[in-house]
Amino acid sequence: MTSDHAVDIDRHVRVYIIVFVALMALTIITVAISYLHLPLTIAVTVALLVATVKGSLVACYFMHLVSEKKLIYAVLALTAVFFVALLALPVVTVHDGYWIHE
Amino acid sequence: MDIPYTVEVRRDTGLTNGKIGIWLFLASEVMLFGALFASYILIRTGAPSWPRGATILDVPLATFNTIVLISSSVTMVMAWASLMRRRFGTFRIYMGATILLGFVFLVVKYFEYGHHFAIGEYPSHNNFLAVYYTLTGLHMLHVFGGMVVNAYFWGPGSKLWKTNPEWFTNRVEHSGLFWHFVDLVWIFLFPTLYLL
């Protein structure tokens, strides 16, 4: 193992610890916000926003997506398109219901 | 015949076969959980009323489990970093801790499920519990599956370290990617089921 390689891994480990602390802090924030009993729309928005930040930290640093090859990004981009389409289905269904009632 | 591209990268993809394989598998997993999340949204928005998760589920216990799973993600990535530093002994400590934390997560879920069953709250009780058991049950299966693979690398699978350390390191990285994905799914399950 070269000294450059060792330094690189040491830098990675420091980042992992920082991300771990951030994830813990965000978990506490998520739970604390839930005790404020905000209106549902705001509560959902805030909870999903915090969860997205946490998920991004895990994906970017623990799963090394910040420095991955282009093919992995392409696979994930395609997955994201289908994932969004999947989540949009309920919205389409709701609108479909309105049209039926009209 | 040897398995090709376990250590050296393919010229066309720039990746080892294992790396592209695990990411394609994770893409299919995104769609699996995505379909269940979409079903959850559909059922919830279509229901005349929906209970807040905190009124039925144990938030402090789930918060503890969130901390356990996030900690296991850190120990998992540290296990891989230990192999990159050529420290096999440290790898076994971190990997052992990851398996142990996964076990703690499942034990807590066992008590959670046990409490609900004891008071007659089965999946057939209402739509909320049906969604809760489906999503957390599938997630628990993933935790168990990840633990089995990690236990293999901690025990018998670690023999590969002596003959081909680079390949073993890559295998641990791939099992780690799956483990982090399981953590990532929980990060979304926790607020959507327990807090909203």
Side-chain angles (χ1 to χ4, degrees):
Chain A
M1 189 168 67
T2 63
S3 59
D4 282 354
H5 182 76
V7 169
D8 200 39
I9 295 297
D10 286 344
R11 194 172 53 81
H12 271 91
V13 168
R14 276 197 297 276
V15 172
Y16 298 149
I17 293 163
I18 292 166
V19 170
F20 172 62
V21 173
L23 289 171
M24 287 296 163
L26 288 167
T27 300
I28 293 164
I29 289 168
T30 310
V31 177
I33 289 170
S34 76
Y35 284 104
L36 296 176
H37 298 292
L38 297 168
L40 190 63
T41 315
I42 298 169
V44 168
T45 309
V46 173
L48 290 183
L49 207 66
V50 177
T52 305
V53 173
K54 285 171 74 181
S56 303
L57 286 172
V58 170
C60 287
Y61 296 101
F62 291 170
M63 298 172 89
H64 306 134
L65 274 182
V66 278
S67 55
E68 220 11 295
K69 294 283 186 295
K70 278 181 188 169
L71 186 63
I72 302 290
Y73 294 140
V75 167
L76 289 179
L78 194 65
T79 309
V81 170
F82 283 103
F83 182 73
V84 170
L86 203 59
L87 290 186
L89 277 177
V91 180
V92 176
T93 315
V94 168
H95 282 290
D96 191 40
Y98 285 135
W99 292 333
I100 288 167
H101 290 305
E102 280 169 9
Chain B
M1 196 181 84
D2 287 339
I3 300 170
Y5 305 109
T6 53
V7 175
E8 73 280 19
V9 296
R10 282 177 67 109
R11 202 181 293 174
D12 50 359
T13 62
L15 298 157
T16 60
N17 280 354
K19 178 65 94 58
I20 189 71
I22 189 71
W23 273 111
L24 286 171
F25 172 65
L26 292 182
S28 74
E29 289 280 89
V30 168
M31 297 312 288
L32 172 66
F33 279 101
L36 289 173
F37 267 108
S39 306
Y40 169 47
I41 296 167
L42 193 63
I43 293 168
R44 183 165 179 165
T45 52
S49 66
W50 193 265
R52 268 185 113 97
T55 58
I56 296 173
L57 305 174
D58 194 325
V59 173
L61 215 51
T63 308
F64 172 74
N65 249 359
T66 305
I67 291 166
V68 166
L69 214 53
I70 288 171
S71 303
S72 78
S73 244
V74 179
T75 53
M76 185 76 218
V77 82
M78 291 298 279
W80 170 79
S82 302
L83 290 179
M84 293 294 283
R85 288 163 151 170
R86 299 287 186 266
R87 293 176 189 167
F88 184 74
T90 318
F91 154 76
R92 289 197 88 168
I93 293 168
Y94 280 122
M95 191 56 121
T98 308
I99 298 162
L100 194 69
L101 287 165
F103 183 71
V104 170
F105 181 88
L106 291 183
V107 168
V108 170
K109 289 304 296 178
Y110 166 80
F111 282 112
E112 255 193 282
Y113 273 34
H115 166 73
H116 291 297
F117 290 158
I119 54 173
E121 290 182 347
Y122 293 100
S124 57
H125 191 72
N126 59 31
N127 278 348
F128 174 82
L129 284 167
V131 167
Y132 164 76
Y133 283 117
T134 306
L135 281 167
T136 57
L138 184 69
H139 180 263
M140 275 192 340
L141 279 177
H142 280 74
V143 172
F144 181 72
M147 280 172 65
V148 170
V149 174
N150 287 342
Y152 173 73
F153 289 135
W154 184 86
S158 66
K159 283 179 193 160
L160 185 65
W161 175 255
K162 289 176 186 160
T163 53
N164 197 334
E166 283 81 16
W167 189 9
F168 183 67
T169 307
N170 284 350
R171 283 182 152 194
V172 169
E173 184 189 6
H174 303 154
S175 72
L177 286 171
F178 176 78
W179 192 258
H180 301 313
F181 174 78
V182 170
D183 180 27
L184 209 153
V185 170
W186 181 257
I187 282 172
F188 282 93
L189 279 183
F190 172 55
T192 49
L193 288 176
Y194 289 82
L195 304 178
L196 297 175

